[in-house]
Amino acid sequence: LRHASGRPYRDTPAYQHIVATFRAHRVTSEKLCRAQQELHFQAATYLCLLRSVREHTALHREYHGKGERSPEEVAGLVGFRLPQQPGGKG
């Protein structure tokens, strides 16, 4: 959550919702939490979502909107080199 928002993560509605959900599902002496495993699964799923969004944003920033690229630059992006022309051309 720290990476997803520009403000302190404890002020975000997502953080407040997660904390409230965990508190609502905690095990007490009066009741047993039947959905405790489900809550951990939801937390892991949300963490995966946040990581994926962060990685997608980084990839989008790196590769999107740079306009037309030269063949040499495209080959370099995927790890190839273009063959050299005989006679010193290219």
Side-chain angles (χ1 to χ4, degrees):
L1 287 172
R2 273 183 257 131
H3 296 288
S5 67
R7 58 186 180 172
Y9 70 95
R10 291 180 186 232
D11 296 338
T12 61
Y15 177 80
Q16 293 170 359
H17 172 72
I18 291 170
V19 169
T21 304
F22 265 94
R23 286 183 180 152
H25 288 82
R26 71 175 175 244
V27 178
T28 65
S29 60
E30 299 166 4
K31 69 173 186 173
L32 293 176
C33 177
R34 287 179 275 171
Q36 188 173 17
Q37 296 299 326
E38 179 184 346
L39 190 60
H40 286 286
F41 175 74
Q42 287 178 354
T45 303
Y46 193 64
L47 177 62
C48 179
L49 170 73
L50 290 175
R51 283 182 181 152
S52 298
V53 167
R54 184 173 51 215
E55 290 174 10
H56 174 266
T57 304
L59 288 172
H60 189 323
R61 242 185 273 122
E62 184 174 347
Y63 294 108
H64 188 264
K66 295 195 176 187
E68 182 117 3
R69 299 177 186 213
S70 69
E72 292 83 12
E73 187 178 0
V74 173
L77 284 174
V78 294
F80 294 121
R81 287 188 343 208
L82 292 179
Q84 298 295 319
Q85 293 286 333
K89 296 181 181 177

